[in-house]
Amino acid sequence: MKKILLSVLAALPLLVSAAPCLPPEALVKLDTQYEEALRVGDVAFLRSLLADDYVWVHTLGTQIETRDILLARLARPVIYKSRATSDVHVHVQDDTSVVRGVSTTEQWNPDGATFRSNRYQFMRTYVSVAGQCKLLSVQTMNLK
């Protein structure tokens, strides 16, 4: 009996770690906060959300940003008029969740009076790290 109890107790960390970091609805809300943090340059929020080894692969791999590179970029003035997501889906496998959908951005032109719009297909991977939901990676593809 003691051996069985020890086996069950030894397996508990594996069972706990297999749970997603947040339920899908809460994860979509957190992902929306991520989009807004990108829009306004909320470095403090992003510092708490991004995993230490976060990476963002931009369209066609033309730019790859690490956590530190993204935070440094957003510390400068923000040039987004708006960011919004649509067609959002959440896929869960054990403690990993992938949020995918379409992000529409309106970015101010250098004149400050006009803007341009872009649409991107995105995939964002969230994982549980020390009991917190962290954004591990992002990949975006421009939709023309």
Side-chain angles (χ1 to χ4, degrees):
M1 180 66 150
K2 191 174 185 179
K3 287 182 182 180
I4 293 172
L5 182 58
L6 289 174
S7 295
V8 169
L9 289 175
L12 279 178
L14 297 174
L15 296 174
V16 171
S17 68
C21 59
L22 288 172
E25 300 80 20
L27 189 58
V28 169
K29 182 177 178 181
L30 180 65
D31 194 67
T32 301
Q33 290 174 290
Y34 166 76
E35 282 281 349
E36 180 64 7
L38 289 176
R39 187 184 77 78
V40 301
D42 188 345
V43 173
F45 174 79
L46 292 168
R47 188 173 286 120
S48 70
L49 176 66
L50 304 180
D52 290 342
D53 52 351
Y54 165 91
V55 64
W56 181 351
V57 179
H58 290 265
T59 297
L60 301 176
T62 57
Q63 181 182 5
I64 297 175
E65 288 184 297
T66 64
R67 180 181 192 267
D68 292 340
I69 292 170
L70 175 64
L71 294 176
R73 175 171 63 90
L74 292 177
R76 292 182 292 241
V78 178
I79 52 175
Y80 288 102
K81 179 181 180 218
S82 69
R83 293 183 71 96
T85 57
S86 60
D87 198 26
V88 177
H89 303 274
V90 177
H91 306 271
V92 177
Q93 181 70 47
D94 298 325
D95 66 346
T96 302
S97 298
V98 175
V99 178
R100 68 174 175 88
V102 175
S103 178
T104 303
T105 64
E106 292 180 334
Q107 190 171 9
W108 290 108
N109 289 318
D111 66 12
T114 60
F115 61 90
R116 62 190 180 278
S117 295
N118 288 303
R119 294 179 65 233
Y120 301 92
Q121 180 74 42
F122 69 83
M123 290 183 73
R124 297 193 265 263
T125 304
Y126 290 86
V127 294
S128 183
V129 177
Q132 293 185 312
C133 200
K134 297 288 186 172
L135 180 54
L136 177 64
S137 64
V138 176
Q139 184 158 5
T140 52
M141 180 63 66
N142 197 352
L143 299 173
K144 296 278 179 182

